[in-house]
Amino acid sequence: MEFTAHLRQVAKRFDHTLVENNKAIIKLLRDPNAEREQYLALTKHFTDFRDNIDQKRTAFNSSIIDKLGGSAGEVGRMTRDTMSSFSYIEELMYYINQDNCPAEARKAAREHLADTLDKTCQQFKLALRDVNSLPTTQRKSYSEAIKATLEAFTEQYGKELSESQHRALQDGLESYQYQVSRTNTPSQGFSP
Protein backbone atom coordinates (compact mmCIF):
# COMPACT_ATOMS: atom_id res chain seq x y z
CA MET A 1 0.00 0.00 0.00
CA GLU A 2 2.80 2.41 0.89
CA PHE A 3 4.49 1.84 -2.47
CA THR A 4 1.32 2.70 -4.39
CA ALA A 5 0.89 5.90 -2.40
CA HIS A 6 4.48 6.86 -3.15
CA LEU A 7 3.93 6.32 -6.87
CA ARG A 8 0.86 8.56 -6.77
CA GLN A 9 2.89 11.33 -5.10
CA VAL A 10 5.57 11.04 -7.77
CA ALA A 11 2.96 11.12 -10.55
CA LYS A 12 1.42 14.29 -9.07
CA ARG A 13 4.78 16.06 -9.34
CA PHE A 14 4.87 15.49 -13.10
CA ASP A 15 2.58 18.28 -14.16
CA HIS A 16 2.83 21.11 -16.66
CA THR A 17 4.90 23.34 -14.30
CA LEU A 18 7.57 20.69 -13.98
CA VAL A 19 7.78 20.45 -17.74
CA GLU A 20 7.80 24.26 -18.15
CA ASN A 21 10.51 24.75 -15.54
CA ASN A 22 12.75 22.01 -16.95
CA LYS A 23 12.47 22.33 -20.72
CA ALA A 24 16.25 22.31 -21.18
CA ILE A 25 16.64 19.07 -19.25
CA ILE A 26 13.80 17.39 -21.09
CA LYS A 27 15.21 18.55 -24.42
CA LEU A 28 18.59 17.10 -23.43
CA LEU A 29 17.01 13.78 -22.51
CA ARG A 30 15.12 13.62 -25.78
CA ASP A 31 18.04 14.67 -28.02
CA PRO A 32 21.47 14.32 -26.36
CA ASN A 33 23.27 14.58 -29.73
CA ALA A 34 21.93 18.08 -30.32
CA GLU A 35 23.15 19.11 -26.88
CA ARG A 36 26.58 17.63 -27.62
CA GLU A 37 26.77 19.49 -30.94
CA GLN A 38 25.84 22.75 -29.21
CA TYR A 39 28.53 22.16 -26.55
CA LEU A 40 31.14 21.38 -29.21
CA ALA A 41 30.22 24.56 -31.07
CA LEU A 42 30.66 26.60 -27.88
CA THR A 43 34.00 24.97 -27.06
CA LYS A 44 35.35 25.07 -30.63
CA HIS A 45 37.00 28.40 -29.87
CA PHE A 46 39.04 26.73 -27.13
CA THR A 47 39.74 23.64 -29.25
CA ASP A 48 41.20 25.84 -31.99
CA PHE A 49 43.22 27.77 -29.41
CA ARG A 50 44.52 24.52 -27.85
CA ASP A 51 45.52 23.14 -31.25
CA ASN A 52 47.47 26.35 -31.89
CA ILE A 53 49.39 26.24 -28.59
CA ASP A 54 49.99 22.49 -29.03
CA GLN A 55 51.68 23.25 -32.36
CA LYS A 56 53.81 26.00 -30.77
CA ARG A 57 54.82 23.60 -27.99
CA THR A 58 55.77 20.88 -30.45
CA ALA A 59 57.90 23.34 -32.43
CA PHE A 60 59.65 24.57 -29.29
CA ASN A 61 60.28 21.02 -28.08
CA SER A 62 61.82 20.11 -31.44
CA SER A 63 63.98 23.22 -31.44
CA ILE A 64 65.73 22.33 -28.17
CA ILE A 65 66.64 18.70 -28.99
CA ASP A 66 70.08 19.61 -30.34
CA LYS A 67 70.79 21.98 -27.44
CA LEU A 68 70.16 19.10 -25.03
CA GLY A 69 72.40 16.68 -26.90
CA GLY A 70 69.86 14.57 -28.77
CA SER A 71 66.30 13.33 -28.40
CA ALA A 72 66.96 10.94 -25.46
CA GLY A 73 63.85 8.87 -26.16
CA GLU A 74 60.88 9.01 -23.79
CA VAL A 75 62.87 10.68 -20.99
CA GLY A 76 63.88 13.42 -23.40
CA ARG A 77 60.31 13.92 -24.61
CA MET A 78 59.02 14.26 -21.04
CA THR A 79 61.85 16.62 -20.11
CA ARG A 80 61.17 18.84 -23.11
CA ASP A 81 57.43 18.82 -22.27
CA THR A 82 58.20 20.01 -18.76
CA MET A 83 60.47 22.72 -20.14
CA SER A 84 57.73 23.99 -22.45
CA SER A 85 55.03 23.73 -19.78
CA PHE A 86 55.63 27.32 -18.60
CA SER A 87 54.56 29.09 -21.77
CA TYR A 88 51.83 26.51 -22.35
CA ILE A 89 50.32 27.06 -18.89
CA GLU A 90 50.67 30.84 -19.19
CA GLU A 91 48.75 30.83 -22.46
CA LEU A 92 46.02 28.66 -20.92
CA MET A 93 45.71 31.04 -17.96
CA TYR A 94 45.54 34.02 -20.30
CA TYR A 95 42.75 32.32 -22.27
CA ILE A 96 40.82 31.48 -19.10
CA ASN A 97 40.91 35.14 -18.03
CA GLN A 98 39.48 36.43 -21.33
CA ASP A 99 35.94 37.69 -20.77
CA ASN A 100 35.17 37.66 -24.49
CA CYS A 101 35.51 33.84 -24.70
CA PRO A 102 32.39 31.71 -24.18
CA ALA A 103 31.96 30.48 -20.60
CA GLU A 104 31.89 26.86 -21.79
CA ALA A 105 35.18 27.35 -23.66
CA ARG A 106 36.82 28.88 -20.57
CA LYS A 107 35.52 25.98 -18.49
CA ALA A 108 37.06 23.53 -20.97
CA ALA A 109 40.32 25.52 -20.71
CA ARG A 110 40.26 25.28 -16.90
CA GLU A 111 39.78 21.51 -17.15
CA HIS A 112 42.63 21.28 -19.64
CA LEU A 113 44.83 23.38 -17.34
CA ALA A 114 44.15 21.00 -14.44
CA ASP A 115 44.98 18.02 -16.68
CA THR A 116 48.13 19.78 -17.90
CA LEU A 117 49.34 20.39 -14.35
CA ASP A 118 48.69 16.74 -13.46
CA LYS A 119 50.45 15.49 -16.56
CA THR A 120 53.41 17.82 -16.05
CA CYS A 121 53.90 16.62 -12.47
CA GLN A 122 53.81 13.00 -13.66
CA GLN A 123 56.31 13.82 -16.42
CA PHE A 124 58.64 15.35 -13.85
CA LYS A 125 58.32 12.24 -11.71
CA LEU A 126 59.02 9.81 -14.55
CA ALA A 127 61.79 11.88 -16.15
CA LEU A 128 63.57 12.24 -12.80
CA ARG A 129 63.21 8.53 -12.18
CA ASP A 130 64.66 7.54 -15.55
CA VAL A 131 67.12 10.31 -16.45
CA ASN A 132 70.07 8.36 -15.01
CA SER A 133 69.39 5.55 -17.45
CA LEU A 134 70.30 7.80 -20.39
CA PRO A 135 73.64 7.36 -22.15
CA THR A 136 76.41 9.32 -20.49
CA THR A 137 76.53 11.80 -23.39
CA GLN A 138 72.93 12.89 -22.71
CA ARG A 139 72.57 12.22 -18.99
CA LYS A 140 74.22 15.42 -17.75
CA SER A 141 72.40 17.86 -20.02
CA TYR A 142 68.98 16.29 -19.46
CA SER A 143 69.58 15.89 -15.73
CA GLU A 144 70.53 19.55 -15.38
CA ALA A 145 67.60 20.64 -17.55
CA ILE A 146 65.02 18.65 -15.60
CA LYS A 147 66.34 19.80 -12.21
CA ALA A 148 66.43 23.48 -13.23
CA THR A 149 62.98 23.24 -14.77
CA LEU A 150 61.57 21.54 -11.67
CA GLU A 151 62.98 24.25 -9.42
CA ALA A 152 61.42 27.01 -11.53
CA PHE A 153 58.14 25.07 -11.86
CA THR A 154 57.71 24.55 -8.12
CA GLU A 155 58.64 28.17 -7.46
CA GLN A 156 56.08 29.44 -9.96
CA TYR A 157 53.22 26.94 -9.54
CA GLY A 158 53.93 25.22 -6.21
CA LYS A 159 51.11 27.00 -4.38
CA GLU A 160 48.57 25.91 -6.99
CA LEU A 161 49.48 22.21 -6.93
CA SER A 162 47.47 19.59 -5.09
CA GLU A 163 48.89 17.26 -2.49
CA SER A 164 49.04 14.39 -5.00
CA GLN A 165 50.87 16.61 -7.50
CA HIS A 166 53.41 17.59 -4.85
CA ARG A 167 53.77 13.92 -3.95
CA ALA A 168 54.51 13.02 -7.59
CA LEU A 169 57.25 15.65 -7.70
CA GLN A 170 58.67 14.45 -4.39
CA ASP A 171 58.62 10.81 -5.54
CA GLY A 172 60.57 11.79 -8.65
CA LEU A 173 63.15 13.71 -6.63
CA GLU A 174 63.57 10.86 -4.15
CA SER A 175 64.04 8.36 -6.96
CA TYR A 176 66.58 10.65 -8.63
CA GLN A 177 68.51 11.20 -5.38
CA TYR A 178 68.53 7.45 -4.66
CA GLN A 179 69.96 6.67 -8.11
CA VAL A 180 72.59 9.42 -7.84
CA SER A 181 73.70 8.19 -4.42
CA ARG A 182 73.81 4.60 -5.71
CA THR A 183 76.07 5.49 -8.61
CA ASN A 184 78.36 7.55 -6.37
CA THR A 185 78.72 4.87 -3.67
CA PRO A 186 81.51 2.36 -4.21
CA SER A 187 80.54 -1.28 -4.48
CA GLN A 188 80.47 -3.23 -1.22
CA GLY A 189 81.51 -6.45 -2.94
CA PHE A 190 84.26 -8.83 -1.85
CA SER A 191 87.80 -7.68 -2.41
CA PRO A 192 90.53 -10.15 -3.40
Side-chain angles (χ1 to χ4, degrees):
M1 202 62 147
E2 240 179 81
F3 180 70
T4 311
H6 177 70
L7 285 178
R8 285 189 184 120
Q9 283 182 328
V10 170
K12 286 180 185 177
R13 290 183 187 155
F14 280 92
D15 60 4
H16 67 72
T17 57
L18 177 83
V19 173
E20 284 298 316
N21 293 335
N22 297 292
K23 282 183 179 181
I25 294 171
I26 292 170
K27 184 179 176 185
L28 171 63
L29 292 172
R30 294 187 76 193
D31 191 3
N33 290 336
E35 177 70 19
R36 183 71 183 153
E37 288 174 19
Q38 180 182 2
Y39 175 79
L40 290 174
L42 290 170
T43 60
K44 181 167 178 15
H45 189 267
F46 170 68
T47 305
D48 293 344
F49 172 80
R50 185 194 63 213
D51 291 346
N52 182 38
I53 63 174
D54 284 347
Q55 288 174 356
K56 287 180 190 177
R57 188 177 199 182
T58 300
F60 174 79
N61 288 355
S62 295
S63 75
I64 60 175
I65 289 173
D66 289 338
K67 294 173 188 168
L68 291 169
S71 67
E74 196 63 18
V75 173
R77 184 193 59 75
M78 288 186 289
T79 302
R80 291 186 303 275
D81 273 354
T82 62
M83 292 172 75
S84 63
S85 66
F86 295 95
S87 59
Y88 194 83
I89 291 169
E90 283 176 23
E91 291 202 44
L92 283 172
M93 288 179 164
Y94 177 78
Y95 184 89
I96 290 167
N97 293 321
Q98 294 299 306
D99 291 335
N100 60 340
C101 298
E104 291 83 354
R106 291 194 323 254
K107 181 179 182 224
R110 280 190 294 278
E111 290 169 0
H112 186 64
L113 174 61
D115 291 343
T116 299
L117 287 171
D118 279 341
K119 183 179 178 182
T120 303
C121 290
Q122 289 301 315
Q123 288 175 318
F124 272 118
K125 174 184 171 180
L126 297 173
L128 283 163
R129 183 191 71 193
D130 296 338
V131 74
N132 286 318
S133 67
L134 291 176
T136 310
T137 56
Q138 295 175 329
R139 185 178 308 146
K140 184 178 181 193
S141 63
Y142 273 94
S143 180
E144 289 173 358
I146 192 79
K147 288 188 303 182
T149 304
L150 176 61
E151 185 177 318
F153 184 82
T154 54
E155 187 176 302
Q156 187 163 349
Y157 300 112
K159 293 177 183 163
E160 299 173 35
L161 301 178
S162 69
E163 186 177 322
S164 65
Q165 291 166 333
H166 278 290
R167 185 74 223 152
L169 298 176
Q170 191 61 38
D171 288 348
L173 277 172
E174 288 170 4
S175 177
Y176 176 80
Q177 291 300 336
Y178 174 75
Q179 290 181 36
V180 167
S181 68
R182 240 179 83 204
T183 57
N184 292 335
T185 305
S187 174
Q188 299 292 327
F190 293 106
S191 56

